[in-house]
């Protein structure tokens, strides 16, 4: 608890939001569907709005998702999605991570943050896209701090 009070650590609510989003990403990949950049944003009343970014290249979609978080913070939510002032977010996307030998492996990457706290990124290696029950993933591993899109 002490770490949460000084803006460090991950709240149970953010852990739940990011874990749910990661699970959705795994489900999409297990089905063999291309994983778009997906974003989940939650307000103080625990209302969650989800957004998908798919019409551009991967980098443009990722930047679009990050911009959406900043825009939602500036506009104090999204009335159309019944989202109040956002307090936490998580975004997931498909990518690759280099292993210790420099070989790239497929991964789901996750960025998550909460207003007034340090934001983080993590990744899970994945294997068997499109193989349903044979799809496999590793436990999320930390990938470092990232910019907090909510400030």
């Amino acid at each position: 608890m002490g770490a949460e009070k000084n803006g460090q650590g991950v709240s149970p609510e953010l852990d739940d939001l990011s874990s749910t989003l990661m699970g959705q990403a795994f489900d999409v990949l297990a089905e063999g569907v291309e994983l778009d950049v997906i974003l989940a944003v939650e307000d103080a009343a625990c209302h969650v709005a989800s957004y998908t970014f798919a019409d551009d290249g991967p980098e443009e979609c990722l930047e679009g998702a990050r911009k959406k978080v900043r825009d939602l913070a500036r506009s104090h939510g999204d009335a159309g999605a019944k989202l109040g002032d956002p307090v936490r977010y998580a975004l997931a996307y498909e990518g690759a991570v280099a292993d210790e030998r420099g070989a790239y492996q497929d991964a789901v990457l996750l960025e998550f943050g909460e207003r007034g706290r340090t934001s983080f990124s993590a990744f899970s290696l994945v294997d068997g896209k499109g193989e349903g029950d044979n799809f496999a993933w590793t436990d999320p591993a930390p990938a470092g701090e990232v910019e907090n899109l909510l400030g």
Side-chain angles (χ1 to χ4, degrees):
M1 277 299 231
E4 289 182 26
K5 288 191 173 33
N6 64 12
Q8 302 300 313
V10 176
S11 71
E13 296 84 1
L14 181 56
D15 184 54
D16 185 50
L17 182 70
S18 56
S19 296
T20 299
L21 189 66
M22 190 72 108
Q24 291 171 346
F26 293 153
D27 290 346
V28 166
L29 291 173
E31 292 172 17
V33 179
E34 186 172 329
L35 178 63
D36 299 320
V37 175
I38 50 178
L39 168 66
V41 182
E42 188 172 14
D43 64 18
C46 297
H47 295 121
V48 177
S50 296
Y51 305 89
T52 302
F53 300 83
D55 295 334
D56 288 309
E59 285 300 315
E60 292 81 7
C61 289
L62 184 54
E63 278 311 309
R66 290 173 178 148
K67 181 180 183 307
K68 182 69 173 181
V69 175
R70 290 186 199 100
D71 291 348
L72 289 168
R74 269 195 296 282
S75 63
H76 302 287
D78 180 346
K82 296 181 174 45
L83 179 75
D85 205 7
V87 295
R88 66 190 60 89
Y89 68 92
L91 62 97
Y93 54 99
E94 193 171 359
V97 175
D99 65 16
E100 53 280 347
R101 296 181 309 277
Y104 283 90
Q105 298 188 25
D106 291 336
V108 171
L109 291 94
L110 182 72
E111 295 179 14
F112 50 100
E114 199 158 14
R115 184 178 306 282
R117 295 177 181 239
T118 303
S119 293
F120 299 98
S121 61
F123 68 92
S124 288
L125 300 178
V126 296
D127 187 40
K129 287 191 284 188
E131 295 181 18
D133 290 341
N134 291 325
F135 176 78
W137 64 91
T138 62
D139 286 336
E145 293 182 13
V146 293
E147 174 191 0
N148 186 329
L149 303 173
L150 293 175

